[in-house]
Amino acid sequence: MWRLKIAEGDKNSPYMFTTNNFVGRQIWEFDPNAGSPEELAEVEEARQDFYKNRHNVKPAGDLLWRLQFLREKNFKQRIPQVKVKDGEAITYETATTAMKRAAHYFSAIQASDGHWPAENAGPMYFLPPFVFCLYITGHLNTVFTVEHRREILRYLYNHQHEDGGWGVHVEAPSSMFGTVFSYLCMRLLGLGPNDGENNACARARKWIRDHGGVTYIPSWGKNWLSILGIFEWSGTNPMPPEFWILPSFVPLHPSKMWCYCRLVYMPVSYLYGKRFVGPITPLIQQLREELHTQPYNEINWRKVRHLCAKEDLYYPHPFVQELLWDTLYLASEPLLTRWPLNKLIRQKALKETMKFIHYEDHNSRYITIGCVEKPLCMLACWVEDPNGIAFKKHLNRIADYIWLGEDGMKVQTFGSQTWDTALGLQALMACNIADEVESVLGKGHDYLKKAQIRDNPVGDYKGNFRHFSKGAWTFSDQDHGWQVSDCTAEGLKCVLQLSLMPPEIVGEKMEPERLYDAVNFLLSLQDEKTGGLAVWERAGASLLLEWLNPVEFLEDLIVEHTYVECTASAIEAFMLFKKLYPHHRKKEIENFIVKAVQYIEDEQTADGSWYGNWGICFIYGTCFALGGLQVAGKTYNNCLAIRRAVDFLLNAQSDDGGWGESYKSCPNKIYTPLEGKRSTVVHTALAVLSLISAGQADRDPTPIHRGVKLLINSQLENGDFPQQEIMGVFMRNCMLHYAEYRNIFPLRALAEYRKRVPLPN
């Protein structure tokens, strides 16, 4: 039986190290002797329920670890369930009962180190590259055991569409990228060309060939297929390693790139520069025949470089970009790969590129910045030295990416431990029931204090294109090491709120110097021109560089941008900070808030909403924006932006009293309700919070009551809420599953409703 392990790691291993005793680490381990018959039956029931409903609800409910934690804590929901009948008013007692039921359930699924675990996955291209890398390096069987393979295949079967393909993410229609990667994953894990549940392999292969064959895969796919030997490097656009030794005055210098983009193309350029190809095994030769629509040796590789299936083409390459690729392909690469330039320049570039990779690996404890980058960096280290220490350290951190749900085994971003914990603690504090959850608040507070980044990246971090990180919080855990602005803002806000509570309940408050470090980090990321806040590093590079985005299915990933959600979170944190610490950088904080408020007002869309860059979508963005404006002193009466936002929300309310938004809002950039105007508990909670922030209860509380009625009536018997549509997004077109949102936002909405909306007794 699989079990989730918390804050564990081999402290004696020379290939693993940690900055805070592995706090926040979450890994799955299989114990063949674990699990009673009742426990095993419970897990199997969850799996079967997902399978039966897989075409209706695509994200998993993340039930396996929840079942484990609830058993370990012997949790039983002891507060009776409540329902609100048609025509019945919601009383204070009813709202309190629903809120406490949600709070007690949420408290029961807290991990032993104080954080809340959760799946943070959804894209279908996260897992396969780990399989590709381990196949090439010969470690596939040692890392992915029989039990791993069973669960990986379960995941692929569960998310295969009826047409035989897979999408870019679990809710997307079939795409070449998702289908080819999933097919390769099945074949490399040992399935034959006609094997798999419901004829999975044959159906997938038919989809690929019916849509033109594998030459139509997007550029990231072409890179991995070239590495595997199923494609030729001459069929890809150049990614020369010389990019990493360009002088700083060049417009597209690495220091101007968005960090995730930079750290994808760093190892790709190394592998491209080496023209590395894995072993051409009999299986690879079979895959060449299976996936191409013409004989491999007859393909004109130069002509396939710009091909991309229409199902994958969200961001077409502008003419200027294709001209650049053609110039590099036809002019520079023939020179750089021949004597003497291959000795004078290319070899130097390859060495410098690996230095950058090793620097990033070391500063993330060989976790790397994310799951797309991890297998690429790991493979680059193996190519440099198959027996080297760097590769062995990489192997030890694969487990950090693996996640298990009732739908099977997947790879996640790295985790949302700190983000979920900061939001969850704020929801619990809003309930005003500290006496019932004091141990939960204390453990969560301890986690946040241990998760804050205490130092900057080692060595010359500026020379390695890094921003300072001291005082920030990450999205995941401290070992990850990558600073994030909204996680820092929510973390700061959370520890400040906890500092107002008795230390005998929540522990000693954080030292002022550490709070100042967080403030300094947030101030450093405000864009001077717009007033908006970036996420990881300073924005400011020319947005024209986005014309060079080579990824056909994502948008806005070349340079760092500013975001409404991050800006609003920072406003809320600073408003509380300056109240408690009025003298620290007072003028700079006040200027920050003024500019940030103006930025939020400027970013409002024509329909009164705000685009959500990290959640779906306009309802999510609007909730954060209104929260920031409200704490900064803006009201319905003195702010046109708030009045327009309220109109948007009221017009978007569904007949059942809730709200529900389709993920299609994100790529289309137009508010799109769910089919049939269905509602979700998360969107309903976000809308309720928005309306409460905008003072709707003082004008007409009816829309709020209707939304809360849906939340109360949706609550499950144990205090949980149902898993519905996916709720997260990144880079406009790829969705991400935040499994804790169905608990955090409804809990927060019920708490704020009970506290701020007048209710009858």
Side-chain angles (χ1 to χ4, degrees):
M1 184 175 183
W2 288 94
R3 293 196 180 276
L4 183 63
K5 304 284 187 177
I6 299 296
E8 292 189 14
D10 187 355
K11 300 167 190 173
N12 298 316
S13 170
Y15 307 122
M16 179 172 281
F17 59 110
T18 177
T19 56
N20 68 346
N21 204 25
F22 297 109
V23 169
R25 191 173 193 232
Q26 42 189 28
I27 58 171
W28 287 89
E29 290 185 359
F30 183 78
D31 181 351
N33 300 314
S36 66
E38 293 77 15
E39 290 171 335
L40 294 170
E42 199 173 29
V43 168
E44 186 58 30
E45 182 182 2
R47 288 170 173 160
Q48 290 302 317
D49 286 346
F50 180 86
Y51 180 80
K52 292 172 187 175
N53 204 35
R54 69 191 186 281
H55 295 307
N56 298 320
V57 180
K58 307 297 178 63
D62 215 15
L63 295 180
L64 299 194
W65 71 269
R66 293 178 179 226
L67 292 172
Q68 173 192 329
F69 279 26
L70 295 174
R71 283 194 304 267
E72 291 171 351
K73 297 180 183 182
N74 197 28
F75 172 78
K76 302 291 182 185
Q77 181 60 262
R78 305 194 184 280
I79 304 174
Q81 192 169 11
V82 291
K83 297 289 183 182
V84 181
K85 298 177 182 177
D86 290 343
E88 180 183 357
I90 302 174
T91 64
Y92 182 82
E93 288 77 11
T94 299
T96 300
T97 298
M99 181 200 76
K100 285 190 174 185
R101 296 179 79 253
H104 288 189
Y105 174 84
F106 186 62
S107 298
I109 57 172
Q110 184 185 35
S112 56
D113 65 356
H115 86 275
W116 273 267
E119 175 183 332
N120 192 235
M124 295 305 300
Y125 59 89
F126 280 3
L127 169 65
F130 283 77
V131 174
F132 302 165
C133 177
L134 293 171
Y135 177 82
I136 291 167
T137 60
H139 289 77
L140 184 59
N141 294 334
T142 54
V143 174
F144 287 153
T145 65
V146 171
E147 295 298 333
H148 285 85
R149 294 178 186 221
R150 178 181 294 115
E151 293 303 325
I152 291 171
L153 291 173
R154 185 195 308 278
Y155 182 69
L156 295 174
Y157 298 152
N158 272 325
H159 293 288
Q160 187 174 26
H161 295 320
E162 294 181 71
D163 65 3
W166 288 264
V168 172
H169 56 84
V170 294
E171 292 208 11
S174 295
S175 66
M176 185 65 73
F177 193 39
T179 305
V180 170
F181 268 37
S182 297
Y183 180 81
L184 289 173
C185 195
M186 292 190 297
R187 295 286 279 115
L188 294 177
L189 287 174
L191 294 188
N194 296 307
D195 291 344
E197 188 177 285
N198 294 323
N199 211 18
C201 287
R203 290 165 57 222
R205 186 170 62 254
K206 182 178 186 306
W207 192 98
I208 294 166
R209 295 178 69 89
D210 285 351
H211 289 79
V214 77
T215 53
Y216 283 86
I217 197 169
S219 60
W220 279 5
K222 287 179 169 67
N223 290 331
W224 267 113
L225 294 184
S226 298
I227 291 165
L228 281 167
I230 303 170
F231 219 78
E232 293 294 316
W233 281 111
S234 57
T236 69
N237 286 319
M239 198 54 61
E242 288 75 17
F243 176 71
W244 306 100
I245 58 174
L246 291 173
S248 59
F249 62 78
V250 174
L252 185 58
H253 186 261
S255 62
K256 298 179 175 68
M257 292 179 73
W258 178 48
C259 54
Y260 276 84
C261 183
R262 187 169 70 233
L263 292 171
V264 166
Y265 286 106
M266 194 177 282
V268 167
S269 66
Y270 178 80
L271 296 166
Y272 174 83
K274 299 279 286 188
R275 297 298 197 276
F276 171 77
V277 179
I280 305 301
T281 63
L283 176 56
I284 295 298
Q285 291 176 328
Q286 289 174 33
L287 290 169
R288 287 178 173 181
E289 294 180 10
E290 293 169 16
L291 295 175
H292 290 284
T293 57
Q294 64 183 112
Y296 190 80
N297 58 3
E298 295 179 12
I299 297 171
N300 186 332
W301 295 106
R302 193 173 95 177
K303 289 187 176 180
V304 306
R305 289 182 299 117
H306 299 313
L307 294 182
C308 182
K310 68 180 189 301
E311 292 81 4
D312 298 63
L313 190 58
Y314 173 67
Y315 186 84
H317 292 170
F319 171 76
V320 66
Q321 184 185 147
E322 297 208 347
L323 181 63
L324 173 63
W325 294 132
D326 290 343
T327 302
L328 290 171
Y329 187 90
L330 298 172
S332 67
E333 276 302 299
L335 294 174
L336 290 168
T337 53
R338 290 177 173 81
W339 188 89
L341 295 185
N342 63 339
K343 295 292 185 183
L344 296 174
I345 299 178
R346 175 129 302 179
Q347 292 305 314
K348 176 187 176 183
L350 289 168
K351 289 179 181 178
E352 288 298 309
T353 303
M354 277 309 303
K355 286 182 183 178
F356 289 130
I357 292 171
H358 287 315
Y359 180 86
E360 293 295 344
D361 286 348
H362 178 78
N363 276 286
S364 66
R365 275 51 64 184
Y366 288 82
I367 294 166
T368 75
I369 195 172
C371 61
V372 175
E373 297 79 3
K374 167 72 175 177
L376 288 165
C377 290
M378 180 163 57
L379 182 59
C381 290
W382 183 82
V383 171
E384 184 192 41
D385 184 357
N387 298 309
I389 291 175
F391 178 67
K392 293 175 182 177
K393 289 180 176 179
H394 265 296
L395 287 174
N396 272 336
R397 284 294 194 169
I398 291 175
D400 295 69
Y401 282 96
I402 303 301
W403 195 257
L404 186 68
E406 64 271 26
D407 60 338
M409 183 168 284
K410 64 212 78 172
V411 160
Q412 56 178 1
T413 56
F414 175 58
S416 53
Q417 297 96 303
T418 297
W419 175 248
D420 288 336
T421 299
L423 293 178
L425 286 173
Q426 290 177 66
L428 285 172
M429 285 188 282
C431 296
N432 289 328
I433 54 169
D435 57 323
E436 299 181 36
V437 294
E438 61 179 63
S439 65
V440 177
L441 296 176
K443 286 198 300 182
H445 191 196
D446 184 62
Y447 171 80
L448 287 179
K449 288 187 286 188
K450 290 176 178 176
Q452 187 187 28
I453 301 175
R454 305 298 297 272
D455 298 295
N456 291 320
V458 299
D460 180 17
Y461 64 87
K462 292 182 180 178
N464 284 275
F465 323 127
R466 290 288 298 269
H467 189 68
F468 75 85
S469 58
K470 184 179 181 181
W473 274 272
T474 70
F475 184 58
S476 49
D477 65 15
Q478 191 188 78
D479 277 348
H480 181 248
W482 269 92
Q483 67 283 352
V484 182
S485 65
D486 53 354
C487 298
T488 301
E490 297 296 339
L492 176 60
K493 184 171 35 163
C494 202
V495 297
L496 288 171
Q497 291 175 1
L498 287 161
S499 75
L500 300 173
M501 301 180 71
E504 58 269 21
I505 292 179
V506 299
E508 294 298 323
K509 63 183 180 181
M510 186 176 276
E511 299 90 335
E513 291 75 17
R514 293 177 62 183
L515 302 175
Y516 299 161
D517 289 340
V519 168
N520 296 341
F521 168 72
L522 289 173
L523 288 173
S524 75
L525 290 185
Q526 187 175 42
D527 183 66
E528 295 180 0
K529 294 179 181 178
T530 67
L533 200 68
V535 182
W536 293 270
E537 299 168 331
R538 286 193 184 99
S542 173
L543 298 183
L544 294 176
L545 294 175
E546 291 292 353
W547 287 3
L548 302 181
N549 170 22
V551 184
E552 298 89 342
F553 59 92
L554 298 175
E555 187 178 356
D556 289 346
L557 54 69
I558 292 295
V559 300
E560 180 70 278
H561 293 255
T562 56
Y563 301 98
V564 165
E565 303 102 299
C566 303
T567 308
S569 290
I571 291 173
E572 292 194 49
F574 279 151
M575 289 299 295
L576 181 55
F577 177 83
K578 75 187 189 80
K579 179 181 177 181
L580 300 178
Y581 297 88
H583 303 298
H584 180 76
R585 302 189 71 172
K586 178 181 178 182
K587 189 65 176 175
E588 291 153 283
I589 289 173
E590 289 175 348
N591 289 339
F592 179 103
I593 293 170
V594 170
K595 292 166 67 178
V597 167
Q598 186 61 55
Y599 168 79
I600 290 177
E601 292 181 334
D602 291 343
E603 288 293 304
Q604 191 174 33
T605 64
D607 67 0
S609 66
W610 281 269
Y611 183 89
N613 289 277
W614 307 109
I616 299 172
C617 173
F618 292 95
I619 294 175
Y620 181 89
T622 298
C623 183
F624 277 84
L626 288 177
L629 292 176
Q630 184 257 325
V631 299
K634 298 290 184 177
T635 68
Y636 185 87
N637 294 325
N638 69 19
C639 181
L640 175 61
I642 291 182
R643 295 195 293 274
R644 295 178 62 229
V646 169
D647 288 342
F648 161 75
L649 290 167
L650 296 180
N651 289 330
Q653 191 168 24
S654 299
D655 292 340
D656 62 6
W659 284 261
E661 186 173 359
S662 168
Y663 80 86
K664 295 175 184 177
S665 290
C666 303
N668 297 338
K669 304 173 193 172
I670 298 173
Y671 174 73
T672 308
L674 285 170
E675 187 177 346
K677 293 207 75 176
R678 301 192 317 277
S679 296
T680 70
V681 293
V682 177
H683 283 125
T684 300
L686 291 168
V688 165
L689 287 166
S690 300
L691 290 173
I692 292 174
S693 292
Q696 182 65 26
D698 299 329
R699 296 181 298 277
D700 175 13
T702 303
I704 299 175
H705 293 318
R706 295 178 65 216
V708 171
K709 176 185 174 183
L710 184 138
L711 293 178
I712 293 173
N713 289 343
S714 298
Q715 193 174 38
L716 303 179
E717 188 175 347
N718 64 356
D720 193 4
F721 288 89
Q723 177 59 56
Q724 296 165 318
E725 277 77 6
I726 204 162
M727 285 295 154
V729 65
F730 61 95
M731 302 300 104
R732 311 281 190 185
N733 194 42
C734 202
M735 306 306 128
L736 200 57
H737 181 28
Y738 286 80
E740 292 288 5
Y741 278 8
R742 74 173 192 267
N743 301 107
I744 292 169
F745 289 116
L747 174 60
R748 182 67 181 267
L750 289 169
E752 296 294 343
Y753 175 74
R754 170 180 177 264
K755 181 167 58 177
R756 297 169 62 179
V757 179
L759 299 171
N761 289 320

